[in-house]
Amino acid sequence: MLPEEAERSLDDLTFELIREASMLAGRLNPTVQGGIGALVRSMNCYYSNLIEGHDTHPRDIDRALAQDFSAEPTKRALQLEAVAHIEVQRRIDEGGDPPDWPASGAYAQWLHRSFCARLPEELLWVENPDTAERLRVVPGELRRRGVAVGRHIPPDADELPRFMARFDQAYDPKRLNQVRQVQSVGAVHHRLLWIHPFLDGNGRVARLMSHALFKRVGIGSSLWSVSRGLARNAERYKALLQAADGPRRGDRDGRGNLTQAGLVAFCGFFLEACLDQVRYMTSVLEPQQLLRRIEIYTEDEARAGRLPKGAYPILREALLAGELSRGEAGRLSGYQERKGREVVSTLLKHGLLVATDASHKSAVRLGFPIDVVERWFPRLYPAGLASREQPGCPVIAH
């Protein structure tokens, strides 16, 4: 259930992840972090659902967050699924989740209940491929029957309380220091999927649990997510998960029934995926480079007549300061008061600035509309996807 201590390859990855994730958290103004966090939640939802075979276009996710749902039933159901995922992660990011330790049965049931309770009815049914029997998924309820997941046969339903009690015991934070807690996230992820406590939704629950665990151990934040890293290597992710289900490979392969070498390999892959995502977000959030991309974008848009001149100084100040008054923003445009207000109004209309509250005199902060994602945050989504209206067959690229 845990990699053995003093596993050098995992120790090195763990120390690197702790160091680099801690540095990432202090790079930006907290207000700007909040806006980017909302963008990352949408990205995390996209990749987590993609692993499950649900390809929901980023623009459809964006529309769903604005309560603009498709009239086409299947697309609308996937939009509602995306909103459910984002809302649960938002609660985690903002500290609105329960106080239970995330690697616990109680927290897993909260995640499943919170996610599934927001799903449309048509997504709460699964079908037995052998008998065509349709079964309803009850939010937060442990499954009441046996299942098969590929070649893996999870524990019988009657055994689930015992397995979940052992799950709570093995990952109790009082038994593990911070390094071991970070190392345990991959093992927790594997073990929950091995137990497969719910009829459906286990993958989403496991990835949200991983996100919550990293936040609780002090290195996770709304600025990065492991789901993008797992989706980029989906075949290897699933293959290593399956390999870690295997039996012990001899006397030197740990002391449990399952292979210790397989678990170490999966945990190493998991930490590498996390480190890859922290490094990716560190690179795209480097302030000077981000400012340069914003400047090039505003210059291009001004030449095309879609944005007024004088927009960049306002956006630059919003990135560096977090928020600013509308009067200050207008003055930064370089125009007289009336024209300055028009520039601010245009930036608000395009979503490049966002009001901090509903009043017309509120301060403004930087916005991150879907139209700028590819220019400001290159490779956040598969190449070209955020700029297309209709989803294609994405290639996951770094």
Side-chain angles (χ1 to χ4, degrees), residues 65-188:
L65 291 172
Q67 299 298 301
D68 179 11
F69 294 101
S70 172
E72 198 278 307
T74 300
K75 184 180 285 190
R76 182 178 184 277
L78 292 177
Q79 286 181 299
L80 289 167
E81 178 186 54
V83 171
H85 190 287
I86 290 167
E87 177 59 22
V88 176
Q89 188 179 327
R90 185 188 65 79
R91 290 188 63 182
I92 294 169
D93 288 341
E94 296 179 358
D97 53 337
D100 306 280
W101 184 244
S104 68
Y107 197 92
Q109 287 186 272
W110 173 78
L111 284 171
H112 190 266
R113 183 166 53 252
S114 298
F115 174 64
C116 291
R118 292 176 166 85
L119 295 180
E121 181 66 20
E122 58 265 39
L123 293 184
L124 290 175
W125 291 86
V126 296
E127 185 174 293
N128 185 323
D130 298 323
T131 66
E133 179 187 8
R134 296 184 77 236
L135 305 168
R136 192 177 189 279
V137 178
V138 179
E141 181 180 277
L142 298 181
R143 58 181 167 83
R144 297 183 177 183
R145 59 189 299 147
V147 294
V149 186
R151 290 181 293 176
H152 172 54
I153 307 297
D156 289 339
D158 292 343
E159 294 293 320
L160 287 177
R162 185 167 65 89
F163 274 87
M164 294 309 295
R166 175 72 180 116
F167 184 88
D168 290 0
Q169 180 190 47
Y171 305 119
D172 184 340
K174 295 190 288 293
R175 297 161 52 97
L176 307 169
N177 60 29
Q178 187 195 32
V179 171
R180 291 289 280 161
Q181 286 174 5
V182 173
Q183 283 183 356
S184 77
V185 178
V188 168

Side-chain angles (χ1 to χ4, degrees), residues 296-315:
I296 293 170
Y297 168 81
T298 53
E299 288 174 352
D300 289 347
E301 293 297 292
R303 280 194 293 270
R306 290 186 289 266
L307 283 181
K309 294 179 179 180
Y312 173 66
I314 300 173
L315 300 181

Side-chain angles (χ1 to χ4, degrees), residues 51-66:
I51 291 170
E52 302 298 325
H54 294 182
D55 185 2
T56 311
H57 195 276
R59 286 186 178 275
D60 288 330
I61 296 173
D62 194 58
R63 292 183 181 114
L65 291 172

Side-chain angles (χ1 to χ4, degrees), residues 205-228:
V205 167
R207 289 185 286 277
L208 285 166
M209 180 179 284
S210 297
H211 184 80
L213 270 171
F214 281 125
K215 186 170 184 293
R216 290 288 184 93
V217 301
I219 66 167
S221 74
S222 62
L223 294 179
W224 68 277
S225 161
V226 68
S227 289
R228 180 176 178 273

